[in-house]
């Protein structure tokens, strides 16, 4: 057993049993805690995750260690991230309980969260996308989650007083923000020991990213927005690996990167990862399944996600237009014309931000440190490189030209054009 | 003597003597503190200000009360603002000691600052501008102050870690931010009990502001930027009443509205108030002095302020390009072309922000709650209204068209065009 420091102790399958037994908020969920089955399943990059099962129930325990698990103690990372993850799970869960798993317990000194176990058939969405599984409710569910969590934590709904209090609190999650700044907005655009790509096939493509002045101009603006703009409490890492799904359930997990940042970063991360999933499909095609129908479904999901989001977000705004939010006072925006104009402007800017951040997230997954299983699972390097190059070229174009796009339809057309 | 509450006690000329005698950091400045002369001179809107003089020296004592002085206890306002004022005086003073008065003492429970007395011939810049006095070093000095305070507190110089720590701290100054939100970005665009204007001459002009959808669209964007964008530690109220001058000294005071906000808010506040001073000149013209030469000097000062600022800011950025700032890494912006491109882009955006905020500050001084002495001191209401209308129309145009302006020369031309 590891030593105890400031109340922190790294647990293992064995010591976790004692911990649970002495913690009523956990043992009460499990009922009989005499015969616990404990399985470590942390396949993410950062933390230890245990599934705990009793004779009658189950739960998940997640513990953060003071370094990045997949790299080791050489890359220290504050375990305080668990505090922000628990806080955001609870806050986003309050705003959208349908799509955020319940938190039973948080132990701050231990950086430990006890939460609902998302039982099979729940799987990570990314794995479902690789397997070619359609989720008919996914677009609607994700639009629901994104619209509610972003709207209610923005100045469209909250007062300046509450907003600044919350912004100040989440400034504490600075180490995770710095990690994003480095791996999303910096490393792919310079020589870095952590960058990798399908080599030698993409050697020239990676170099081209590092030598593209226009791209660097655009990424600088997005980086500034990421660092400076406290628009809403964003998840901060909303890729398809942070979503668990079944045919009728969609659950968003792992908000340890959460902070008050630009809304477009969440929307873009999610849509960008769907686009990556799209471009990976050709690598997963087999003789029996050319994935053509599935690619169409992904495109439809991208389109519907934005369109549902747009509708839901505007509906929330309209419903709360005489609420406590101080950004757009009804006494100022007091006629239907101007009301519609400000909403249209707001959503167009958000659309452009989302496309920019989405493109940045795509680029970093192809030439940066952390790749996606969508591409990594394509064994044939030549085939993988072809898929990645198409995605990379689309992302570069989106990043530079995003302000020219007016609707998600045009983005779908651009995807189709990049995949002739 | 007022009652003491949580260590706070409102001082007066008499009790202040005892306070100073028992406070070494103050009495040591004054030397002999047996025969103190104390004069209350707070002509601002918010606080009590005392000039304290001994036989050998002098200093200023400023105390914040828990309401807005010029309105009274009916408009409560946290006295915590004194903490932020003292913190920013010290921080901006560290970065630009030439143009910020020294803080000798801060008493948090008492919301009391002891600072350097800016002795005559120092006067408030606004009064000098009304009197028609030229200050040959003003443009250079203000450019120095603005460039240093903004550059060094931005992510161009500081690390994300230090930036987020400081942003969190200044989130505490939320009440003063809310006051600005209300009086600058909201009230002038709606019916409000606090609004006033030269009536009946400007009745139609004030109404036109409240019915201008395009203007409302633009002010919404600026308000969002003010609330959400933590770009640098800004003064927050940098009008010509927050600057004291002599022929060779320029001192910036009163940063109680300071917080991490958009740089353009400071630059715009200052330039916007110079433009107001320009349009007020016709109201101060006499037979012996038509103020034409002085108007030219103001325009030259506006032009030089921006141009000096531009040069100094870029020079600071270049000097610190391989420093600890993480926004524009030299390894990414690694050729002269891209380096120049990002700087040009950054400064163009900042220019547009400054014009927008400057215009907003002009508008609110003509149809909002707090007016400027430049216009108020024009006794003839008809003449005053003519001056104000010209300024208001220019401001409306600048707010809507600001993105079309490329250089400060073009702004000068627009001012001349608005004043045929």
């Amino acid at each position: 057993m590891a030593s105890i420091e400031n109340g922190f102790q790294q647990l293992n399958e064995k010591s976790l049993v004692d911990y649970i037994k002495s913690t009523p908020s956990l043992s009460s969920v499990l009922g009989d805690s005499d015969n616990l089955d404990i399985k470590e399943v942390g396949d993410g990059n950062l933390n230890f995750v245990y599934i705990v099962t009793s004779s009658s129930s189950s739960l998940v325990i997640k513990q953060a260690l003071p370094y990045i698990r997949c790299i080791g103690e050489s890359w220290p990372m504050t375990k305080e991230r668990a505090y922000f993850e628990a806080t955001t799970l609870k806050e986003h869960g309050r705003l959208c309980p349908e799509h955020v798993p319940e938190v039973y317990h948080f132990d701050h000194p231990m950086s430990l969260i006890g939460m609902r176990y998302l039982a099979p058939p729940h799987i990570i969405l990314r794995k479902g996308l690789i397997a070619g599984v359609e989720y008919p409710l996914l677009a609607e569910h994700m639009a629901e989650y994104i619209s509610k969590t972003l709207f209610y934590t923005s100045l469209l709904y909250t007062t300046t007083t509450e907003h600044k209090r919350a912004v100040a609190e989440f400034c504490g999650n600075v180490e995770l923000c710095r990690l994003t700044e480095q791996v999303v907005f910096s490393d792919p655009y310079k020589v870095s020991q952590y960058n990798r790509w399908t080599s030698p096939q993409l050697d020239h493509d990676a170099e081209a990213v590092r030598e593209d002045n226009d791209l660097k101009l655009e990424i600088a603006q997005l980086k500034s927005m990421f660092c400076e703009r406290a628009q809403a409490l964003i998840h901060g890492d909303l890729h398809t690996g942070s979503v668990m799904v079944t045919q009728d359930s969609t659950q968003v997990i792992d908000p340890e990167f959460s902070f008050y940042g630009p809304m477009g970063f969440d929307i873009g991360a999610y849509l960008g990862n769907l686009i990556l999933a799209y471009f990976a499909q050709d690598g997963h095609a087999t003789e029996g399944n050319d994935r053509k129908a599935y690619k169409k479904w992904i495109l439809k999901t991208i389109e519907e996600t934005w369109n549902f989001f747009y509708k839901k977000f505007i509906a929330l705004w309209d419903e709360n237009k005489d609420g406590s939010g101080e950004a757009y006072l009804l006494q100022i925006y007091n006629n239907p014309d101007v009301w519609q104009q400000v909403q249209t402007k707001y959503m167009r800017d958000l659309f452009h931000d989302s496309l920019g951040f989405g493109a940045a997230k795509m680029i970093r997954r192809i030439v940066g440190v952390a790749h996606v299983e969508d591409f990594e699972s394509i064994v044939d390097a030549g085939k993988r490189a072809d898929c990645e190059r198409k995605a990379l070229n689309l992302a570069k174009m989106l990043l530079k030209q995003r302000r020219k796009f007016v609707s998600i339809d045009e983005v779908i057309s651009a995807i189709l054009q990049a995949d002739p």
Side-chain angles (χ1 to χ4, degrees), chain A residues 24-44:
Chain A
S25 54
L26 295 175
S27 53
S28 67
V29 172
L30 291 166
D32 169 24
S33 56
D34 279 340
N35 285 297
L36 296 181
D37 180 60
I38 297 193
K39 209 165 45 169
E40 210 284 310
V41 296
D43 64 346

mmCIF file of all heavy atoms in Angstrom, chain A residues 24-44:
data_model
loop_
_atom_site.group_PDB
_atom_site.id
_atom_site.type_symbol
_atom_site.label_atom_id
_atom_site.label_comp_id
_atom_site.label_asym_id
_atom_site.label_seq_id
_atom_site.Cartn_x
_atom_site.Cartn_y
_atom_site.Cartn_z
ATOM 1 N N PRO A 24 -20.258 5.317 4.183
ATOM 2 C CA PRO A 24 -21.702 5.026 4.075
ATOM 3 C C PRO A 24 -22.297 5.400 2.719
ATOM 4 O O PRO A 24 -23.134 4.658 2.187
ATOM 5 C CB PRO A 24 -22.307 5.886 5.190
ATOM 6 C CG PRO A 24 -21.201 6.087 6.175
ATOM 7 C CD PRO A 24 -19.936 6.124 5.373
ATOM 8 N N SER A 25 -21.863 6.529 2.119
ATOM 9 C CA SER A 25 -22.476 6.945 0.851
ATOM 10 C C SER A 25 -22.164 5.954 -0.267
ATOM 11 O O SER A 25 -22.847 5.928 -1.286
ATOM 12 C CB SER A 25 -22.001 8.346 0.467
ATOM 13 O OG SER A 25 -20.588 8.407 0.450
ATOM 14 N N LEU A 26 -21.138 5.143 -0.087
ATOM 15 C CA LEU A 26 -20.829 4.104 -1.076
ATOM 16 C C LEU A 26 -21.449 2.767 -0.665
ATOM 17 O O LEU A 26 -22.095 2.096 -1.472
ATOM 18 C CB LEU A 26 -19.310 3.946 -1.220
ATOM 19 C CG LEU A 26 -18.585 5.171 -1.789
ATOM 20 C CD1 LEU A 26 -17.072 4.960 -1.766
ATOM 21 C CD2 LEU A 26 -19.057 5.467 -3.215
ATOM 22 N N SER A 27 -21.266 2.383 0.603
ATOM 23 C CA SER A 27 -21.757 1.066 1.024
ATOM 24 C C SER A 27 -23.286 1.003 0.962
ATOM 25 O O SER A 27 -23.851 -0.050 0.672
ATOM 26 C CB SER A 27 -21.241 0.715 2.424
ATOM 27 O OG SER A 27 -21.537 1.752 3.325
ATOM 28 N N SER A 28 -23.934 2.157 1.160
ATOM 29 C CA SER A 28 -25.399 2.144 1.092
ATOM 30 C C SER A 28 -25.882 1.882 -0.336
ATOM 31 O O SER A 28 -26.938 1.295 -0.542
ATOM 32 C CB SER A 28 -25.959 3.483 1.598
ATOM 33 O OG SER A 28 -25.605 4.530 0.715
ATOM 34 N N VAL A 29 -25.124 2.331 -1.334
ATOM 35 C CA VAL A 29 -25.499 2.048 -2.722
ATOM 36 C C VAL A 29 -25.353 0.557 -3.012
ATOM 37 O O VAL A 29 -26.174 -0.049 -3.705
ATOM 38 C CB VAL A 29 -24.605 2.849 -3.705
ATOM 39 C CG1 VAL A 29 -24.858 2.406 -5.151
ATOM 40 C CG2 VAL A 29 -24.843 4.354 -3.560
ATOM 41 N N LEU A 30 -24.299 -0.033 -2.451
ATOM 42 C CA LEU A 30 -23.983 -1.433 -2.766
ATOM 43 C C LEU A 30 -24.814 -2.421 -1.951
ATOM 44 O O LEU A 30 -24.894 -3.596 -2.303
ATOM 45 C CB LEU A 30 -22.491 -1.681 -2.512
ATOM 46 C CG LEU A 30 -21.576 -0.963 -3.508
ATOM 47 C CD1 LEU A 30 -20.135 -0.949 -3.010
ATOM 48 C CD2 LEU A 30 -21.669 -1.610 -4.889
ATOM 49 N N GLY A 31 -25.434 -1.925 -0.862
ATOM 50 C CA GLY A 31 -26.198 -2.832 -0.003
ATOM 51 C C GLY A 31 -25.227 -3.743 0.721
ATOM 52 O O GLY A 31 -24.374 -3.285 1.483
ATOM 53 N N ASP A 32 -25.294 -5.011 0.479
ATOM 54 C CA ASP A 32 -24.388 -5.987 1.074
ATOM 55 C C ASP A 32 -22.965 -5.753 0.554
ATOM 56 O O ASP A 32 -22.695 -5.951 -0.624
ATOM 57 C CB ASP A 32 -24.864 -7.400 0.713
ATOM 58 C CG ASP A 32 -23.816 -8.435 1.087
ATOM 59 O OD1 ASP A 32 -22.996 -8.154 1.987
ATOM 60 O OD2 ASP A 32 -23.823 -9.503 0.450
ATOM 61 N N SER A 33 -22.046 -5.306 1.442
ATOM 62 C CA SER A 33 -20.693 -5.047 0.953
ATOM 63 C C SER A 33 -19.701 -6.088 1.469
ATOM 64 O O SER A 33 -18.520 -5.840 1.591
ATOM 65 C CB SER A 33 -20.253 -3.618 1.316
ATOM 66 O OG SER A 33 -20.343 -3.408 2.709
ATOM 67 N N ASP A 34 -20.207 -7.268 1.773
ATOM 68 C CA ASP A 34 -19.306 -8.319 2.275
ATOM 69 C C ASP A 34 -18.601 -9.059 1.148
ATOM 70 O O ASP A 34 -17.471 -9.495 1.290
ATOM 71 C CB ASP A 34 -20.084 -9.320 3.148
ATOM 72 C CG ASP A 34 -20.257 -8.756 4.563
ATOM 73 O OD1 ASP A 34 -19.468 -7.851 4.913
ATOM 74 O OD2 ASP A 34 -21.168 -9.208 5.259
ATOM 75 N N ASN A 35 -19.306 -9.213 0.031
ATOM 76 C CA ASN A 35 -18.668 -9.926 -1.082
ATOM 77 C C ASN A 35 -18.573 -9.031 -2.301
ATOM 78 O O ASN A 35 -19.349 -9.133 -3.238
ATOM 79 C CB ASN A 35 -19.473 -11.186 -1.427
ATOM 80 C CG ASN A 35 -19.250 -12.254 -0.384
ATOM 81 O OD1 ASN A 35 -18.131 -12.726 -0.204
ATOM 82 N ND2 ASN A 35 -20.323 -12.596 0.314
ATOM 83 N N LEU A 36 -17.591 -8.142 -2.264
ATOM 84 C CA LEU A 36 -17.449 -7.174 -3.355
ATOM 85 C C LEU A 36 -16.523 -7.729 -4.426
ATOM 86 O O LEU A 36 -15.471 -8.300 -4.139
ATOM 87 C CB LEU A 36 -16.885 -5.853 -2.827
ATOM 88 C CG LEU A 36 -17.776 -5.116 -1.821
ATOM 89 C CD1 LEU A 36 -17.104 -3.811 -1.405
ATOM 90 C CD2 LEU A 36 -19.154 -4.843 -2.410
ATOM 91 N N ASP A 37 -16.963 -7.525 -5.656
ATOM 92 C CA ASP A 37 -16.090 -7.858 -6.776
ATOM 93 C C ASP A 37 -15.518 -6.554 -7.315
ATOM 94 O O ASP A 37 -16.264 -5.613 -7.609
ATOM 95 C CB ASP A 37 -16.896 -8.581 -7.865
ATOM 96 C CG ASP A 37 -16.019 -8.934 -9.050
ATOM 97 O OD1 ASP A 37 -15.032 -9.674 -8.858
ATOM 98 O OD2 ASP A 37 -16.295 -8.420 -10.157
ATOM 99 N N ILE A 38 -14.202 -6.469 -7.421
ATOM 100 C CA ILE A 38 -13.564 -5.224 -7.854
ATOM 101 C C ILE A 38 -12.689 -5.470 -9.064
ATOM 102 O O ILE A 38 -11.864 -6.393 -9.081
ATOM 103 C CB ILE A 38 -12.735 -4.626 -6.699
ATOM 104 C CG1 ILE A 38 -13.680 -4.276 -5.541
ATOM 105 C CG2 ILE A 38 -11.974 -3.390 -7.174
ATOM 106 C CD1 ILE A 38 -13.088 -3.421 -4.481
ATOM 107 N N LYS A 39 -12.911 -4.636 -10.105
ATOM 108 C CA LYS A 39 -12.162 -4.817 -11.352
ATOM 109 C C LYS A 39 -11.603 -3.460 -11.791
ATOM 110 O O LYS A 39 -12.351 -2.499 -11.926
ATOM 111 C CB LYS A 39 -13.135 -5.346 -12.429
ATOM 112 C CG LYS A 39 -12.466 -6.203 -13.481
ATOM 113 C CD LYS A 39 -13.472 -7.002 -14.314
ATOM 114 C CE LYS A 39 -14.663 -6.164 -14.763
ATOM 115 N NZ LYS A 39 -15.505 -6.827 -15.769
ATOM 116 N N GLU A 40 -10.299 -3.406 -12.024
ATOM 117 C CA GLU A 40 -9.697 -2.151 -12.493
ATOM 118 C C GLU A 40 -9.851 -2.112 -14.008
ATOM 119 O O GLU A 40 -9.452 -3.027 -14.712
ATOM 120 C CB GLU A 40 -8.215 -2.107 -12.098
ATOM 121 C CG GLU A 40 -7.685 -0.708 -11.859
ATOM 122 C CD GLU A 40 -7.428 0.090 -13.119
ATOM 123 O OE1 GLU A 40 -6.760 -0.431 -14.030
ATOM 124 O OE2 GLU A 40 -7.899 1.236 -13.206
ATOM 125 N N VAL A 41 -10.468 -1.017 -14.528
ATOM 126 C CA VAL A 41 -10.762 -0.955 -15.959
ATOM 127 C C VAL A 41 -10.284 0.344 -16.622
ATOM 128 O O VAL A 41 -10.704 0.667 -17.730
ATOM 129 C CB VAL A 41 -12.281 -1.094 -16.226
ATOM 130 C CG1 VAL A 41 -12.767 -2.463 -15.795
ATOM 131 C CG2 VAL A 41 -13.058 0.011 -15.497
ATOM 132 N N GLY A 42 -9.447 1.088 -15.916
ATOM 133 C CA GLY A 42 -9.048 2.394 -16.453
ATOM 134 C C GLY A 42 -8.296 2.276 -17.760
ATOM 135 O O GLY A 42 -7.097 2.032 -17.790
ATOM 136 N N ASP A 43 -9.016 2.435 -18.860
ATOM 137 C CA ASP A 43 -8.335 2.362 -20.152
ATOM 138 C C ASP A 43 -8.119 3.768 -20.715
ATOM 139 O O ASP A 43 -7.662 3.937 -21.822
ATOM 140 C CB ASP A 43 -9.107 1.499 -21.149
ATOM 141 C CG ASP A 43 -10.456 2.094 -21.485
ATOM 142 O OD1 ASP A 43 -10.906 3.003 -20.768
ATOM 143 O OD2 ASP A 43 -11.058 1.641 -22.473
ATOM 144 N N GLY A 44 -8.456 4.770 -19.931
ATOM 145 C CA GLY A 44 -8.206 6.147 -20.357
ATOM 146 C C GLY A 44 -6.735 6.475 -20.168
ATOM 147 O O GLY A 44 -5.915 5.607 -19.866
#
